[in-house]
Amino acid sequence: MKEKYILSCCSTVDLTEEQLKEIDVEHICFHYELDGKTYLDDLGKSMSADEFYQRMADGADTKTSQIAPEEFKTYFRRYLEAGRDILHVTLSSGISGVYNSAQMAAEELAEEYPERKIYIADSLAASSGYGLLMIKLSELRASGMTVDQLRDWAEQNKKRLRHWFFSTDLTFFIKGGRISKTAGLFGTALNICPLMDVSCEGKMIPRFNIRTKKKVIREMVKKMEEQADHRESYSDRVFISHSACMEDARAVADLVETKFPKINGKVQINNIGTTIGAHTGPGTVALFFWGDERID
């Protein structure tokens, strides 16, 4: 008999509710504000990605807030009371304090439910890269891994998840302090698209300044050629997420499918959700795959 436990994540995995149901993964929602009104980051149910990014483009003010410990306690308690152990994987601690909130809640609940296991894992990932990790964990759970084995696998392998992304609009990266105002204005004037990745600490890091969108797309796929498991023979899934720039996402997907003919199915393209998107704004494309471990 397979061990019964809950596999859970935050809404910032940037998958759809249908996708999460299909892999039997539970989720808890972040919050965001748009022009002072608070919404749940509920996987596009309250507001579509198209509307959200159009409002950002029109000048709406955005803010995000992480999940509080009390929210986590309420969320976890329903599964604990049903006699289920929990493995909850959070958005990267490099871009959010949500791991600490979840860990605080777990520690308090451990005193109430000493017979249950409540594990919190830091994904060191974001957006559909985080989603790619959750799909892998779901598959491993289905293969018979215990909650302890799955937690250990996640900790040992999460840095093999590679993220590469670029933006054609630096407005919100400047606003959020991820790119300096001087560098951002200079880059915009010269049509520079920074190529960024997620570091071994789970932080978003600008790596290269590349002029023109066509060149940055080629360079991003080149990084996959250099880093992907088994290189051109890569046979796992590939995800792309984007913020209101499907044409650019499709261009990256087409090039990946040409360069990597053995991938598992077609490249899956998702929307960047409202929590991550509130910081990137429209015009961002991200590529996710399994590869060499991140070391810097």
Side-chain angles (χ1 to χ4, degrees), residues 128-149:
S128 293
Y130 178 16
L132 193 59
L133 174 62
M134 297 311 300
I135 287 177
K136 179 69 74 175
L137 294 177
S138 175
E139 291 172 344
L140 293 170
R141 178 182 56 177
S143 75
M145 276 194 181
T146 66
V147 67
D148 294 86
Q149 290 171 329

Side-chain angles (χ1 to χ4, degrees), residues 63-221:
K63 294 180 182 179
T64 60
S65 58
Q66 66 190 43
I67 303 155
E70 286 302 317
E71 292 178 273
F72 270 118
K73 287 173 68 176
T74 300
Y75 171 72
F76 290 151
R77 189 174 276 113
R78 76 177 91 162
Y79 303 117
L80 298 171
E81 289 180 349
R84 308 293 287 274
D85 295 330
I86 299 170
L87 171 57
H88 180 80
V89 185
T90 71
L91 175 66
S92 173
S93 61
I95 57 178
S96 169
V98 71
Y99 172 80
N100 292 330
S101 291
Q103 187 64 44
M104 187 182 303
E107 289 172 1
E108 292 181 18
L109 288 170
E111 298 179 5
E112 294 181 42
Y113 301 90
E115 74 285 1
R116 297 265 62 89
K117 297 175 182 177
I118 316 169
Y119 294 142
I120 309 299
D122 179 357
S123 72
L124 297 180
S127 191
S128 293
Y130 178 16
L132 193 59
L133 174 62
M134 297 311 300
I135 287 177
K136 179 69 74 175
L137 294 177
S138 175
E139 291 172 344
L140 293 170
R141 178 182 56 177
S143 75
M145 276 194 181
T146 66
V147 67
D148 294 86
Q149 290 171 329
L150 196 63
R151 186 270 310 269
D152 292 346
W153 191 95
E155 293 296 345
Q156 292 162 9
N157 290 275
K158 62 191 180 184
K159 291 182 184 178
R160 294 197 303 107
L161 190 61
R162 304 305 303 233
H163 310 56
W164 284 99
F165 56 104
F166 70 86
S167 182
T168 56
D169 184 347
L170 303 181
T171 304
F172 292 91
F173 286 91
I174 297 168
K175 184 177 179 181
R178 288 175 171 82
I179 294 177
S180 72
K181 185 173 182 180
T182 300
L185 294 175
F186 181 74
T188 299
L190 294 180
N191 197 23
I192 288 173
C193 301
L195 183 59
M196 299 167 268
D197 78 345
V198 172
S199 72
C200 62
E201 296 178 334
K203 298 177 180 180
M204 298 166 62
I205 307 291
R207 300 291 188 182
F208 307 98
N209 290 322
I210 300 173
R211 199 167 183 179
T212 78
K213 184 166 58 179
K214 286 185 178 180
K215 287 182 180 178
V216 78
I217 288 173
R218 289 198 299 268
E219 186 62 28
M220 184 158 68
V221 177

Side-chain angles (χ1 to χ4, degrees), residues 31-39 47 51-64 172 175 278:
H31 313 268
Y32 68 96
E33 287 185 19
L34 202 59
D35 283 338
K37 184 177 178 179
T38 301
Y39 300 85
M47 184 179 299
E51 180 183 354
F52 177 75
Y53 290 114
Q54 185 58 57
R55 290 183 63 176
M56 286 190 78
D58 292 341
D61 184 47
T62 58
K63 294 180 182 179
T64 60
F172 292 91
K175 184 177 179 181

